[in-house]
């Protein structure tokens, strides 16, 4: 019986982790933080440095929020992108 429960418990733990990651953002600051993290990952790849927001724009629509960020690193590298949130959940990064 112990062997039968182990795969089920593992599946429940994986699913619970996925649910937690998909929780909606509760504020604009949290959406900006998530968007910044996504863009920093694209800017720096594996080697993670510090990026600074040089410009931002937040547009609220009926069921979504679009956050546009311009980031720059201390080394002069730049990236700009938009994050689309539906009901507080990150939907797309462009």
């Amino acid at each position: 019986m112990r062997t039968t429960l182990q795969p089920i418990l593992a599946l429940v733990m994986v699913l619970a982790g996925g649910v937690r990651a998909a929780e909606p953002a509760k504020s604009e600051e949290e959406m900006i933080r998530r968007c910044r993290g996504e863009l920093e990952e694209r800017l720096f790849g594996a080697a993670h440095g510090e990026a600074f927001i040089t410009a931002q724009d937040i547009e609220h629509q009926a069921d979504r929020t679009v956050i546009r960020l311009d980031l720059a690193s201390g080394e002069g590298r730049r990236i700009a992108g938009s994050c689309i949130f539906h009901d507080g959940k990150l939907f797309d990064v462009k």
Side-chain angles (χ1 to χ4, degrees), residues 17-91:
V19 170
R20 196 174 319 125
E23 288 181 9
K26 294 176 178 49
S27 67
E28 280 186 0
E29 291 82 22
E30 189 173 344
M31 286 189 278
I32 291 169
R33 183 184 55 78
R34 287 184 184 178
C35 186
R36 178 181 176 174
E38 290 288 328
L39 294 175
E40 281 180 350
E41 187 175 306
R42 293 174 185 214
L43 177 64
F44 294 113
H48 194 20
E50 177 97 24
F52 305 94
I53 297 174
T54 58
Q56 76 179 32
D57 180 52
I58 300 172
E59 180 182 338
H60 294 282
Q61 298 173 353
D63 63 341
R64 69 183 197 161
T65 302
V66 179
I67 297 180
R68 292 178 185 85
L69 296 178
D70 291 345
L71 302 179
S73 72
E75 303 147 351
R77 297 165 65 183
R78 303 180 62 81
I79 190 169
S82 298
C83 298
I84 301 170
F85 291 84
H86 283 275
D87 298 321
K89 296 180 184 176
L90 183 59
F91 178 75

